[in-house]
Amino acid sequence: MLNTFRLAIEPRVSHLAAWKPFQWTVAGTFWCVFVSWGYQNLVVSGLGGMWLRPGLVTGIMMAIVLAGPILAFLAFKLRELAIANKHLGVVASTDSLTACLNRGSFHEKIDEQLGEATRASRHLKGALLIIDADHFKAINDTYGHDEGDEALRIIAAQIRGQVRKGDLVGRLGGEEFGVFLPGASQENALAVAERVRRAIADMSFRPRGVRHQLSVSVGGVSFEDQLGFVELYRIADRRLYQAKNGGRNRIELTHIQAYSSSDAAPLH
């Protein structure tokens, strides 16, 4: 799992980005040479032609010898700092156990997308799914928290495997996960929820060599309205509660029409 997490946060530096320290070093060195040449030309020219050429050559060579290594060192250190900052940003927004977004980052990224749509005066449709592991406490109580953590990693991996590249997956706390599907229709959201439910139910989870059936309940809302994360979560969480009360291992999904204040009847 550690290797998977490291791969998930490893910055993908392009060949162009890798060449930037070299480019800055060359450009900086040329600038220092130009400044040195201008200064030497101004000062030494008054001493006569016999001093001009040796003085210019000496100034240029000093600029190359001193500026080149110093600029190269600074450029590579700045690149290392940028990579380290990128690592820290990813770590700060990621749940270390499942490599999903943590709740704060998940909330923030959804509100960013919804806010951008509002500022652009366009209606963003999509869906929010809340996925909760069924009878999860029994796993921890029977097999221990290490096996419970393994179950969460399995569930998270299956969720990520059923969504698109631009979709957001977050761990909202405990055994609860969220999936945000920008642009998804009601039918798309229901299809994703069903794929997730089936994928998890089909997984082989054998704590201490004993087969244990995993399942999840899903509550969701598809929307065509200018709603924020808090409101979407409230509606989806209410549907999750219905799925739990309806027997678990099931889906409850509702749809919010554009500028409608009441949600529709749930889909099964």
Side-chain angles (χ1 to χ4, degrees):
M1 180 59 203
L2 179 60
N3 290 334
T4 301
F5 178 65
R6 290 179 63 184
L7 287 173
I9 69 171
E10 186 69 26
R12 291 170 172 78
V13 182
S14 66
H15 292 296
L16 180 61
W19 274 91
K20 280 188 176 181
F22 174 77
Q23 293 171 340
W24 279 108
T25 300
V26 172
T29 302
F30 271 112
W31 171 250
C32 290
V33 168
F34 174 76
V35 172
S36 177
W37 175 83
Y39 178 78
Q40 292 291 331
N41 190 54
L42 180 65
V43 173
V44 179
S45 60
L47 300 179
M50 63 178 296
W51 297 100
L52 180 59
R53 181 170 296 179
L56 289 177
V57 172
T58 301
I60 291 172
M61 291 302 297
M62 288 293 290
I64 294 174
V65 171
L66 294 177
I70 293 174
L71 290 174
F73 175 79
L74 292 176
F76 278 99
K77 285 299 180 182
L78 288 173
R79 179 171 175 268
E80 289 178 0
L81 181 61
I83 293 174
N85 285 336
K86 185 172 182 179
H87 272 284
L88 289 174
V90 174
V91 170
S93 64
T94 305
D95 174 62
S96 59
L97 178 65
T98 62
C100 299
L101 294 171
N102 58 34
R103 184 186 181 98
S105 183
F106 184 72
H107 182 167
E108 180 182 353
K109 288 181 181 296
I110 292 175
D111 272 343
E112 281 179 4
Q113 293 192 27
L114 297 175
E116 288 174 3
T118 300
R119 288 189 293 272
S121 299
R122 59 184 174 87
H123 305 314
L124 176 66
K125 72 175 184 177
L128 176 67
L129 305 177
I130 306 299
I131 303 166
D132 191 83
D134 295 328
H135 304 294
F136 187 75
K137 186 176 183 299
I139 298 176
N140 284 332
D141 292 346
T142 304
Y143 306 108
H145 288 276
D146 287 344
E147 295 293 353
D149 288 348
E150 180 61 22
L152 290 177
R153 285 190 284 263
I154 290 173
I155 291 171
Q158 293 307 306
I159 294 173
R160 289 197 303 271
Q162 305 304 322
V163 300
R164 303 165 301 180
K165 183 179 180 180
D167 297 334
L168 302 177
V169 179
R171 184 184 178 194
L172 305 183
E175 63 271 23
E176 186 176 86
F177 296 85
V179 175
F180 183 66
L181 308 167
S185 66
Q186 186 177 16
E187 292 74 17
N188 296 149
L190 186 60
V192 171
E194 178 59 20
R195 290 202 305 268
V196 168
R197 189 196 66 80
R198 286 186 179 181
I200 293 170
D202 291 342
M203 282 302 299
S204 176
F205 177 54
R206 303 182 68 86
R208 300 181 187 174
V210 179
R211 188 180 189 282
H212 184 96
Q213 179 68 52
L214 292 176
S215 70
V216 294
S217 298
V218 184
V221 53
S222 58
F223 63 92
E224 298 177 53
D225 202 349
Q226 301 297 338
L227 299 172
F229 173 80
V230 173
E231 181 65 13
L232 291 172
Y233 180 85
R234 181 187 65 81
I235 298 170
D237 190 58
R238 193 164 62 204
R239 295 300 179 231
L240 175 63
Y241 183 78
Q242 292 179 350
K244 292 287 188 181
N245 285 344
R248 294 181 170 83
N249 193 24
R250 57 185 288 129
I251 300 165
E252 294 283 351
L253 180 69
T254 193
H255 181 70
I256 304 296
Q257 296 289 342
Y259 302 102
S260 172
S261 59
S262 60
D263 49 57
L267 290 174
H268 302 285

